[in-house]
Amino acid sequence: MNTKLLNNRLIFLGLMACLLLSLVLIYFIFKPEAQKHQNDLNQQNQTLSENNHTKNIIGGNHQAKIPTLAPSLQGTEIDCPIQVDAKGKLVLTVGIRSCFDYFFSSLGEKTETELISDIRQYLKATLPDTASSYASYLLDQYVAYTHALKNLKATSDFKTGDAEGFQKVLNQMYKVQEQFFNSAEINALFGNERNLNQFNIDQMRIHANKTLNAQQKASELATLIDKLPSTLADGVRVSMQFAELQQLTQEIQEKGGSAQELRNMRESLLGVDAADRLEKVDQEEAGWQTQVNSYLSAREQILKSNASDSNKQQSIDQLRNSTFATKEDLLRAQSYEIIHDQ
C-alpha cells in the first residue's frame, strides 16, 4: 500500500476514534432530563436480569428478558434512554446511538454479532413493536456506517490546528452518514457531534488568526460558546472557558503582556464578575507567595545555623506555627518546604 495513503488512513482512523470517544463523554454529560424516567426504567430492567426474573420487562410488549451483559457491563445502569411517543412510535434522539454504543463498548468480550443480537433482544424486550422495528433498522444502518468509516481513506493530510484539513476529513465522514441515514436521523444521532466538531473548527480558526490580540480572541471565543445549542452549551462552556483561559493567559505572559491586558482578556471571555473573582484570587495568591517566601527564607537561616538538629527542628516548627494560622495553610507550607528542599 502507498505509504502516504496508509498514513492518511491511520490519521483518519485516529480522528474517528477521538470523535467517538468525545461523543460518548457527551452522552454521559448531556443526557436530557426528559429521559430520566427511561433511565430509571432501565435500572429496573437491569435489576430484574441480575435477579434472574423471568417476568415480562416493564414497558415492553414481549415475553422476553433483557440480554446477559458482558462482564464489564454487569452491575452498571443500561445506558439506553430511548423514547417512544403516545402512539408507541420511536422518537429520534441521541439516546438511540447512546444505547448502541453502550453495548458495543464491550466489543472484545463479546463478538459484534453477539452484541447486535443482544441489542435486538433488548429493543424487543423494552419497546413496542413499531418502535422496536425502527430501532432495529437504525441498528443495521449504524453498524453498516461504522464499517464504512473503517474503510474510508482520508483525502488530505492535516496537522493539529489545521482547520481546513480537519474540515475536509469531517466532510468525508458526513457524506458517509448521508448514505445510511436521512436528515432527521442524522440530526438525532450525530447532531451533537457535528455541532461540537464545528465549534472546534471555528475555535482553531480564531486561534490561528494572527490579526487578533488575546482580548479579541477571547471575545470571539465567548461569542462562539454562546452560539452553541442548549444541549451542549452549559457543559462545554465550563470546560472550554477554562481551557481558553489557560491558553490565552499563557499567550499574554509569553509576550510580556500587562496586567491590564490580562484583565481585558478575562472580561471578554468570562465577564466582569468572573474577572473580578480571578483578580482577587491573583491578589490572594500573590500575598500567599510573599508570605511563604519570607517563611522559607527564615527557615533557611535556621537550617544554616550552628544549632543542633533537634533545636533547628523545634525552631522551624515554632516559626511555621507562628507564620501560618490555619491547618490548611500549615499543610500547604509543608508542601512548599518539600518542593524548596528538592
Side-chain angles (χ1 to χ4, degrees):
M1 180 182 292
N2 182 279
T3 301
K4 182 176 180 181
L5 190 60
L6 177 59
N7 289 339
N8 288 347
R9 182 174 180 183
L10 291 175
I11 291 172
F12 188 83
L13 292 178
L15 174 64
M16 295 306 102
C18 291
L19 291 175
L20 289 175
L21 178 58
S22 66
L23 191 60
V24 170
L25 294 176
I26 290 171
Y27 292 153
F28 281 100
I29 297 173
F30 305 116
K31 279 186 286 189
E33 282 298 319
Q35 297 175 356
K36 184 176 185 297
H37 173 72
Q38 181 65 35
N39 288 339
D40 293 339
L41 177 60
N42 292 334
Q43 182 61 50
Q44 294 177 34
N45 294 344
Q46 175 66 12
T47 301
L48 288 174
S49 177
E50 291 172 351
N51 292 332
N52 295 318
H53 284 289
T54 58
K55 62 179 62 176
N56 210 27
I57 299 298
I58 299 173
N61 291 330
H62 309 275
Q63 295 293 329
K65 295 184 296 182
I66 61 173
T68 301
L69 300 176
S72 65
L73 297 181
Q74 290 178 10
T76 66
E77 177 182 348
I78 296 180
D79 186 21
C80 285
I82 300 178
Q83 301 178 40
V84 295
D85 63 18
K87 296 181 180 180
K89 293 184 178 180
L90 186 70
V91 178
L92 289 174
T93 69
V94 71
I96 299 168
R97 184 178 174 187
S98 178
C99 183
F100 298 163
D101 287 339
Y102 169 80
F103 281 94
F104 285 131
S105 69
S106 61
L107 186 63
E109 297 175 82
K110 289 190 174 186
T111 66
E112 182 181 75
T113 300
E114 290 172 330
L115 291 173
I116 291 172
S117 177
D118 285 350
I119 297 172
R120 290 189 192 284
Q121 183 179 341
Y122 178 84
L123 297 174
K124 185 177 181 181
T126 58
L127 298 176
D129 287 337
T130 302
S132 174
S133 177
Y134 188 17
S136 293
Y137 161 78
L138 291 176
L139 172 62
D140 290 338
Q141 297 299 97
Y142 187 62
V143 171
Y145 163 69
T146 57
H147 287 178
L149 275 188
K150 293 176 182 178
N151 296 322
L152 193 63
K153 298 178 178 64
T155 58
S156 64
D157 294 321
F158 72 96
K159 299 178 182 179
T160 302
D162 177 8
E164 304 312 317
F166 187 31
Q167 183 70 72
K168 289 179 181 179
V169 172
L170 289 176
N171 288 343
Q172 284 184 269
M173 183 174 70
Y174 296 160
K175 287 182 180 179
V176 177
Q177 290 174 359
E178 292 166 2
Q179 295 173 17
F180 295 94
F181 305 98
N182 62 37
S183 58
E185 293 163 351
I186 289 173
N187 184 60
L189 301 181
F190 307 101
N192 281 346
E193 182 183 273
R194 287 192 172 200
N195 286 325
L196 193 56
N197 288 338
Q198 189 59 52
F199 175 90
N200 289 331
I201 288 174
D202 293 339
Q203 183 186 39
M204 290 179 193
R205 287 173 176 152
I206 291 172
H207 280 293
N209 190 340
K210 297 181 180 180
T211 67
L212 301 177
N213 61 31
Q215 180 185 355
Q216 292 168 327
K217 289 180 180 179
S219 180
E220 293 205 12
L221 288 165
T223 300
L224 191 62
I225 293 173
D226 287 339
K227 290 181 179 179
L228 283 169
S230 58
T231 52
L232 290 175
D234 291 341
V236 171
R237 181 176 288 109
V238 174
S239 60
M240 289 301 178
Q241 282 178 337
F242 178 78
E244 293 300 342
L245 177 65
Q246 298 294 97
Q247 183 166 342
L248 293 175
T249 298
Q250 182 178 353
E251 182 178 319
I252 291 173
Q253 291 173 341
E254 288 177 349
K255 293 181 179 180
S258 66
Q260 188 59 49
E261 286 181 276
L262 184 61
R263 168 76 193 197
N264 292 341
M265 179 275 289
R266 287 171 170 177
E267 283 190 12
S268 297
L269 182 64
L270 306 173
V272 174
D273 290 344
D276 286 342
R277 290 193 295 271
L278 285 172
E279 203 164 78
K280 183 179 179 180
V281 170
D282 287 345
Q283 293 169 354
E284 292 173 349
E285 183 61 27
W288 162 264
Q289 197 62 54
T290 299
Q291 183 183 22
V292 77
N293 286 344
S294 177
Y295 162 72
L296 290 174
S297 178
R299 174 177 175 271
E300 188 69 20
Q301 294 303 312
I302 294 174
L303 291 173
K304 291 180 179 179
S305 70
N306 294 324
S308 64
D309 289 344
S310 60
N311 287 338
K312 287 180 181 180
Q313 188 59 54
Q314 184 178 1
S315 297
I316 290 173
D317 291 342
Q318 290 174 347
L319 174 65
R320 187 190 303 117
N321 291 331
S322 63
T323 304
F324 304 103
T326 67
K327 181 179 180 181
E328 290 75 15
D329 283 349
L330 286 169
L331 291 173
R332 189 179 179 192
Q334 288 176 306
S335 297
Y336 271 78
E337 289 177 23
I338 295 172
I339 295 172
H340 176 267
D341 292 345
Q342 289 176 342

